[in-house]
Amino acid sequence: MKILLCCAGGFSTNMLMQNMRKVVQKSEVLKDEEFDFTAIPADALEQEIDGWDIVLVGPQIAHKVDYIQSVLEPKGIPYAVIDKDVYGQMDGATVLKLALVTHRKHVLKS
């Protein structure tokens, strides 16, 4: 699964991405080679969007969700906004679960 984290371009989203990667690496069920993570600033979304399975939106740019939706919907890519408290805790497990559940719902709906 290719997970794109969209943020304001800050250091904290990279930390969250690393925490998500650690969750996958420590898992007995998930396989590291089946996941790809990248964090980009929201302004680069249109140039970077092709090939991703899901986009996770940092709470600091939730105000840009209309723009993000306009880029993702035509390509059929699901997205979810990360809860600010979960983001603040750098809870990689909860954010990874959000990605998996959101992607699964999207696939089942298609």
Side-chain angles (χ1 to χ4, degrees), residues 11-29:
F11 178 71
S12 57
T13 302
N14 269 316
M15 286 180 17
L16 178 61
M17 183 179 68
Q18 295 306 322
N19 289 347
M20 293 171 71
R21 185 171 279 127
K22 286 177 190 174
V23 170
V24 172
Q25 290 168 345
K26 291 178 182 178
S27 171
E28 294 181 16
V29 178

Side-chain angles (χ1 to χ4, degrees), residues 1-5 17-18 20-21 24 31-39 48 50-56 96 99-100:
M1 174 179 279
K2 294 182 68 163
I3 301 172
L4 185 65
L5 288 94
M17 183 179 68
Q18 295 306 322
M20 293 171 71
R21 185 171 279 127
V24 172
K31 294 179 177 35
D32 191 35
E33 62 273 6
E34 294 178 1
F35 286 85
D36 186 11
F37 300 95
T38 297
E48 300 288 335
D50 291 330
W52 294 96
D53 295 315
I54 185 164
V55 173
L56 298 176
L96 184 59
L100 294 169

Side-chain angles (χ1 to χ4, degrees), residues 1-107:
M1 174 179 279
K2 294 182 68 163
I3 301 172
L4 185 65
L5 288 94
C6 192
C7 60
F11 178 71
S12 57
T13 302
N14 269 316
M15 286 180 17
L16 178 61
M17 183 179 68
Q18 295 306 322
N19 289 347
M20 293 171 71
R21 185 171 279 127
K22 286 177 190 174
V23 170
V24 172
Q25 290 168 345
K26 291 178 182 178
S27 171
E28 294 181 16
V29 178
L30 304 175
K31 294 179 177 35
D32 191 35
E33 62 273 6
E34 294 178 1
F35 286 85
D36 186 11
F37 300 95
T38 297
I40 63 165
D43 298 339
L45 184 62
E46 288 184 75
Q47 294 81 25
E48 300 288 335
I49 193 54
D50 291 330
W52 294 96
D53 295 315
I54 185 164
V55 173
L56 298 176
V57 179
Q60 69 275 36
I61 61 161
H63 64 280
K64 293 187 174 189
V65 83
D66 289 342
Y67 160 73
I68 292 167
Q69 187 175 15
S70 74
V71 173
L72 300 178
E73 274 191 359
K75 298 190 176 281
I77 300 171
Y79 72 93
V81 177
I82 303 167
D83 179 82
K84 65 179 175 46
D85 294 329
V86 171
Y87 187 90
Q89 295 167 6
M90 292 285 123
D91 185 346
T94 300
V95 176
L96 184 59
K97 183 177 179 181
L98 173 66
L100 294 169
V101 168
T102 302
H103 184 262
R104 177 132 174 92
K105 285 181 182 176
H106 176 76
V107 169

